[in-house]
Amino acid sequence: MNEAYRQRIKLLPVLGTWTTGSSRTPKDRDKFLKYIVSITQRYTGKIDAYEFWNEPNSFAFFKSRISNFCELLKDAARRVKDVNHQIKMGINISWNFDFGHPWGLKFIQKVSRGGGLRDVNFIGLHGYPNSWEPGNARTWAERIRVVREFLDALGVDK
């Protein structure tokens, strides 16, 4: 971490998923939130943004109700902002056009309805061109445009 900071390499760590050892919400919520506070306190000034959970729209990484994700996300984002209000919090979605539409957008819509985006600064896209989408690779500009239009329709500015 210190070496990356010295070399001015910006990291975007993910809080959640593997840190809990499971794709389910943490059994001990308070302990998990203390972990998040500890990490953000330790790296304040060196890390200015975090993603919360890895690809929570994928069953491989999040096995719980979206309402559980929203509540945990809201609590985590508030704790991070309490440590340092300038730290950015975001979520990321796994992106796939296999079904004729990007299936991560429905997840964003549900998180928005659950109030989970209120304290979130950004939404990241994890794409897998030519792996999950063989012969159907889209440009990143197109992906970003589709998400931007979708968020605009929801009235979400991220």
Side-chain angles (χ1 to χ4, degrees):
M1 172 56 67
N2 290 329
E3 185 62 26
Y5 180 73
R6 276 193 293 279
Q7 292 189 34
R8 297 183 183 178
I9 297 171
K10 289 197 171 222
L11 302 176
L12 183 60
V14 176
L15 299 172
T17 307
W18 299 290
T19 58
T20 65
S22 165
S23 57
R24 299 193 184 279
T25 54
K27 291 179 183 175
D28 189 332
R29 183 187 191 94
D30 289 334
K31 188 182 276 187
F32 178 69
L33 292 170
K34 285 179 184 176
Y35 158 78
I36 287 176
V37 168
S38 174
I39 291 296
T40 53
Q41 285 174 336
R42 181 175 183 170
Y43 296 113
T44 290
K46 293 183 178 177
I47 295 178
D48 55 10
Y50 293 90
E51 283 186 344
F52 184 76
W53 221 267
N54 180 55
E55 300 177 0
N57 63 312
S58 170
F59 190 68
F61 296 114
F62 189 75
K63 294 177 183 171
S64 188
R65 294 189 321 245
I66 290 179
S67 61
N68 291 343
F69 176 78
C70 288
E71 291 307 311
L72 192 58
L73 171 60
K74 287 188 275 189
D75 286 346
R78 284 186 207 120
R79 300 282 176 99
V80 168
K81 300 291 182 176
D82 286 346
V83 170
N84 182 336
H85 71 279
Q86 294 180 334
I87 296 174
K88 307 287 187 235
M89 278 289 282
I91 63 169
N92 64 77
I93 59 167
S94 175
W95 181 273
N96 190 325
F97 267 108
D98 278 353
F99 305 106
H101 65 284
W103 56 273
L105 297 182
K106 286 186 179 186
F107 180 82
I108 291 173
Q109 184 176 36
K110 290 176 183 177
V111 172
S112 179
R113 286 183 186 152
L117 297 182
R118 184 174 32 246
D119 297 313
V120 168
N121 303 100
F122 63 90
I123 298 171
L125 307 175
H126 292 187
Y128 300 91
N130 295 321
S131 58
W132 287 29
E133 302 174 25
N136 198 20
R138 304 272 202 268
T139 66
W140 281 107
E142 180 182 356
R143 293 167 193 263
I144 292 168
R145 181 190 57 75
V146 168
V147 172
R148 171 60 44 220
E149 288 174 0
F150 183 79
L151 293 174
D152 288 346
L154 289 178
V156 174
D157 184 22
K158 303 291 175 197

